[in-house]
Amino acid sequence: MKQRPTILDVAKEAGVSKSTVSLVLQGSSSVKEETRKSVRQAMTEIGYVYNRSAATLRSASSGLIGLVINDLRNPFFTEFAALFQMELAKAGFATVLANSDEDPKLQSQMISSLVEHGVSGFIISPSYGEEEATLAVLDAANTPTLQVFRSLERAEGTYPFLAPDYLLGGRLAAEHLIAQGCQTIAFLGGLEGRPVTQERMQGYLSVLEEHGLEPVILTGQATRAFGKSLAATLKEEFPHVDGAICFNDLVALGVLSACPDLGMTPGFDLRVVGFDDIEDGQDSYPPLTTISCDIPGFASSTANQIVAWIKNGVVPPSTARSPVRLVIRASSGA
Amino acid sequence: MKQRPTILDVAKEAGVSKSTVSLVLQGSSSVKEETRKSVRQAMTEIGYVYNRSAATLRSASSGLIGLVINDLRNPFFTEFAALFQMELAKAGFATVLANSDEDPKLQSQMISSLVEHGVSGFIISPSYGEEEATLAVLDAANTPTLQVFRSLERAEGTYPFLAPDYLLGGRLAAEHLIAQGCQTIAFLGGLEGRPVTQERMQGYLSVLEEHGLEPVILTGQATRAFGKSLAATLKEEFPHVDGAICFNDLVALGVLSACPDLGMTPGFDLRVVGFDDIEDGQDSYPPLTTISCDIPGFASSTANQIVAWIKNGVVPPSTARSPVRLVIRASSGA
DNA sequence: CTGAAAGCGCTTACAG
DNA sequence: CTGAAAGCGCTTACAG
């Protein structure tokens, strides 16, 4: 367990001053190629590892970015987190992933822990409720912060917000089911009053209105379990419903998995559309028609924006919407 | 964007020396309660935030733990990561979550980035292949490192390994299917030659041998998609198979979702058992019988061990197995 | 292009 | 119980 070598050791080994070593570390162009090489070699020879804490202390930029997600167990967010992290790694930043688990208390705790660790920026998909604590620590941190997918009410404007065009997604889903000949289309799942639910529902409502159709709305948890229970509710209380737009794919997959026991054939008796395009939807029975939010594109765009903000001070627009598209599979009977 | 206050500002505000502030920060018992209070109050008044980079530089312990996972998109690992992170937060450590995505190159890169950031310990579920680079950077890091779920071949012994009792799991699954009356039981999925596959399969094989039954083994990717394709293979080439033990739940869920189109009734024509007990298996059709690895217990045990190692130098045993149990649901026809 | 010096915000002995 | 001083490993002007 001997001490790790420092730039001083490297300097000694390479026969230069420690400033020169530091310049090599930063890739400065004012060091001769030859010198650079010998320094690099000295580093590998003595097993030097860069100490970012020291660098951070002096230069105030850690190269760490905090990604705080409301529900990391939802595959949609997992997918985003995985892609985002890889994207950032390319830009030389490390990602600290934290799961606030829909708990605003946990969220503010985690954020303040990340601030202590000196993160250079935040990407947050916030948990709802008790916004004060979270906003207080974020304000005190005074660091580039981007909201994704969801936005805190009081933070609109202060922290730029980037999300898929949920409203358009709702419209596309509704138009598709109408084109498939559905007469009565229900909107299933998603917590009442939440902005994301509102937007997806609004797209659905406006299309139904344009076609003179009556809406059927059954909100609730965005989970498989709730989706399963909804299928039974539909069968018993709303047997005339022949199309369902689900708040997200989890709800939709729950509905699909409940159908066999209820004697319903999804894609035939009941045409189902989800939202998010998580991978599981490709391998469900039947495969799930859904609204894709282009997560890879969303992740790279988010990564680019936060990096541009940190490095060059380019503040993203206060609100931006990314494109969505309909992905047609068998669950809607196509 | 004014500078963040430092302990010097706090000291001035509270009318004490900065050493005293530092002692308060560390919860030293040698500070009068009264002093402590006034210092704490001064902190909140001027909006002080602790700078861990500075502390790390001086004391060489960052309070950061790196969790490097081979496939974060698999819900099994996501679940573990989420629980582990919460457990560590309780102990005052922050978790840096990284996804190596089954890519050993990415893995060694991420580890060295984490080392630069000064993590105090590693938990690694390694990606296989090209072990040299990963081991080299880990050796250089010289920091407490625990392997979970999987172990690098060359690292047995050097880095303690903690995993569920896969072999017993394979046995429990096989015994259950035999008790259910299955005559021909197949083992589906899992990459050939991987230790985890070997162990699960070994449990299955030994039970079959004890009962004089012939094994049927179809290895491959541990994904839903592969599970789906296996169901068709079974139907065409192995119609006599009436029980299936899947490498993991993803494969099992893939098999289940393929059954309807093949005219098979899971739990009846084909009794299916998975492995891992991911949440999706509770809401599949039919619900999935599986081997539970008690992820919450595993996560907290892992967290405790790494913390004890870091704080008190307690090195975990070089290999340990955690209990597994059979969870019976409808897919095995019970 | 390279060297000597100061300083980032803490913690750590060491006096008192 | 509290204060003055040194130092962790870097980066940053500033000379040369």
Side-chain angles (χ1 to χ4, degrees):
Chain A
M1 280 265 185
K2 66 163 177 263
Q3 294 301 318
R4 284 192 194 150
T6 74
I7 51 168
L8 261 175
D9 301 309
V10 177
K12 205 176 295 168
E13 177 78 18
V16 299
S17 84
K18 68 176 175 153
S19 315
T20 308
V21 177
S22 178
L23 289 174
V24 170
L25 245 18
Q26 295 166 79
S28 160
S29 58
S30 62
V31 180
K32 251 193 302 193
E33 186 52 35
E34 203 184 307
T35 317
R36 182 196 315 280
K37 264 192 188 149
S38 75
V39 169
R40 288 261 172 234
Q41 177 168 0
M43 286 180 180
T44 59
E45 240 154 49
I46 66 179
Y48 170 75
V49 323
Y50 186 55
N51 182 331
R52 263 178 212 274
S53 291
T56 302
L57 183 54
R58 188 62 232 256
S59 69
S61 168
S62 66
L64 267 185
I65 289 186
L67 177 57
V68 184
I69 293 286
N70 57 293
D71 179 12
L72 201 52
R73 293 175 228 201
N74 180 334
F76 177 74
F77 290 115
T78 314
E79 179 76 15
F80 171 71
L83 292 170
F84 177 78
Q85 189 205 245
M86 288 180 199
E87 206 64 39
L88 268 192
K90 285 186 211 158
F93 285 81
T95 307
V96 189
L97 225 183
N99 179 21
S100 62
D101 220 39
E102 302 291 10
D103 178 347
K105 285 204 191 77
L106 211 53
Q107 175 171 267
S108 57
Q109 271 173 35
M110 290 177 155
I111 293 175
S112 66
S113 159
L114 292 175
V115 173
E116 288 186 358
H117 281 288
V119 298
S120 309
F122 278 110
I123 304 290
I124 304 188
S125 173
S127 296
Y128 293 119
E130 297 171 45
E131 305 190 344
E132 304 72 27
T134 295
L135 289 174
V137 45
L138 237 28
D139 286 348
N142 195 14
T143 189
T145 299
L146 207 54
Q147 301 186 92
V148 289
F149 302 120
R150 302 166 154 201
S151 170
L152 291 173
E153 271 178 51
R154 309 235 200 113
E156 308 253 11
T158 28
Y159 302 115
F161 174 50
L162 181 59
D165 192 340
Y166 299 131
L167 192 137
L168 177 60
R171 286 196 61 95
L172 293 176
E175 280 165 358
H176 172 61
L177 286 183
I178 287 173
Q180 292 291 310
C182 290
Q183 304 286 335
T184 314
I185 303 173
F187 186 93
L188 305 180
L191 292 179
E192 188 89 47
R194 296 284 176 76
V196 178
T197 311
Q198 294 306 334
E199 288 184 33
R200 294 183 181 183
M201 196 189 292
Q202 201 46 248
Y204 151 86
L205 284 174
S206 61
V207 169
L208 260 65
E209 196 179 334
E210 287 162 25
H211 289 261
L213 298 177
E214 280 298 307
V216 175
I217 295 183
L218 301 171
T219 51
Q221 296 286 121
T223 61
R224 284 177 198 255
F226 185 67
K228 269 178 105 162
S229 77
L230 277 177
T233 310
L234 279 185
K235 164 127 185 170
E236 280 173 34
E237 300 175 30
F238 304 91
H240 55 298
V241 166
D242 55 2
I245 295 175
C246 299
F247 172 75
N248 70 7
D249 287 349
L250 294 177
V251 173
L253 293 171
V255 170
L256 294 186
S257 75
C259 281
D261 275 348
L262 297 168
M264 287 156 64
T265 308
F268 189 74
D269 303 331
L270 182 67
R271 296 173 195 268
V272 178
V273 182
F275 210 113
D276 287 352
D277 195 21
I278 65 177
E279 215 181 330
D280 301 0
Q282 298 170 29
D283 300 308
S284 58
Y285 180 80
L288 185 63
T289 294
T290 189
I291 302 295
S292 161
C293 300
D294 183 21
I295 290 300
F298 192 89
S300 82
S301 154
T302 307
N304 292 336
Q305 290 190 49
I306 194 75
V307 168
W309 193 354
I310 292 171
K311 284 192 167 169
N312 312 320
V314 183
V315 182
S318 79
T319 301
R321 294 293 176 158
S322 65
V324 298
R325 67 173 213 283
L326 178 70
V327 176
I328 299 176
R329 301 202 187 95
S331 72
S332 59
Chain B
M1 280 265 183
K2 67 165 176 258
Q3 295 299 319
R4 286 193 192 149
T6 74
I7 52 169
L8 259 176
D9 301 310
V10 176
K12 205 176 296 168
E13 177 78 18
V16 300
S17 84
K18 69 178 175 149
S19 313
T20 308
V21 178
S22 178
L23 290 174
V24 170
L25 245 18
Q26 294 165 80
S28 160
S29 58
S30 62
V31 180
K32 253 193 301 193
E33 186 52 35
E34 202 184 306
T35 317
R36 183 196 314 280
K37 265 193 189 147
S38 75
V39 169
R40 288 260 173 235
Q41 177 168 359
M43 285 180 181
T44 59
E45 242 155 49
I46 66 177
Y48 171 75
V49 323
Y50 186 56
N51 182 332
R52 262 177 211 273
S53 291
T56 302
L57 182 55
R58 187 64 231 254
S59 69
S61 168
S62 66
L64 266 186
I65 289 185
L67 175 59
V68 184
I69 294 286
N70 57 293
D71 179 13
L72 199 53
R73 293 175 227 200
N74 181 335
F76 177 74
F77 290 114
T78 313
E79 180 76 14
F80 171 72
L83 293 168
F84 176 78
Q85 190 206 243
M86 288 179 200
E87 207 63 40
L88 268 192
K90 283 186 211 159
F93 285 83
T95 308
V96 188
L97 225 184
N99 178 23
S100 63
D101 218 39
E102 302 291 10
D103 178 348
K105 285 204 190 80
L106 211 53
Q107 175 171 267
S108 58
Q109 271 174 36
M110 289 178 156
I111 293 175
S112 66
S113 160
L114 292 175
V115 173
E116 289 187 357
H117 282 288
V119 298
S120 309
F122 278 108
I123 305 291
I124 304 189
S125 172
S127 296
Y128 292 120
E130 297 171 46
E131 305 190 345
E132 304 71 27
T134 294
L135 289 173
V137 45
L138 237 28
D139 286 350
N142 196 14
T143 190
T145 298
L146 207 55
Q147 300 186 92
V148 290
F149 302 119
R150 302 166 156 201
S151 169
L152 291 173
E153 272 179 51
R154 309 237 198 112
E156 308 253 9
T158 29
Y159 302 114
F161 174 50
L162 180 60
D165 192 340
Y166 299 131
L167 193 137
L168 177 59
R171 287 196 61 95
L172 293 176
E175 280 164 357
H176 172 62
L177 286 182
I178 288 172
Q180 291 292 310
C182 290
Q183 304 287 336
T184 315
I185 302 174
F187 186 92
L188 305 181
L191 291 179
E192 189 89 46
R194 295 285 175 76
V196 179
T197 310
Q198 295 304 335
E199 288 185 32
R200 295 182 182 184
M201 197 188 291
Q202 201 47 247
Y204 150 88
L205 285 173
S206 61
V207 170
L208 260 65
E209 193 177 337
E210 285 162 28
H211 288 261
L213 297 179
E214 280 298 307
V216 175
I217 294 182
L218 300 170
T219 50
Q221 296 286 121
T223 61
R224 285 178 197 253
F226 185 67
K228 270 179 103 161
S229 77
L230 278 178
T233 309
L234 280 185
K235 164 127 184 169
E236 281 172 34
E237 301 175 30
F238 304 91
H240 55 297
V241 166
D242 56 1
I245 294 175
C246 300
F247 171 75
N248 70 7
D249 287 349
L250 294 178
V251 173
L253 292 172
V255 170
L256 293 187
S257 75
C259 281
D261 274 347
L262 298 169
M264 288 156 63
T265 307
F268 190 75
D269 303 329
L270 181 68
R271 297 174 195 268
V272 178
V273 182
F275 211 112
D276 288 350
D277 195 21
I278 64 176
E279 216 182 329
D280 300 359
Q282 298 170 29
D283 300 309
S284 58
Y285 180 80
L288 185 63
T289 294
T290 188
I291 303 295
S292 162
C293 300
D294 182 22
I295 290 300
F298 192 89
S300 82
S301 154
T302 308
N304 292 337
Q305 290 190 50
I306 193 75
V307 168
W309 193 353
I310 292 171
K311 283 191 166 169
N312 312 320
V314 183
V315 182
S318 80
T319 302
R321 293 294 175 158
S322 65
V324 299
R325 67 173 213 284
L326 179 70
V327 176
I328 300 177
R329 301 203 186 95
S331 72
S332 59

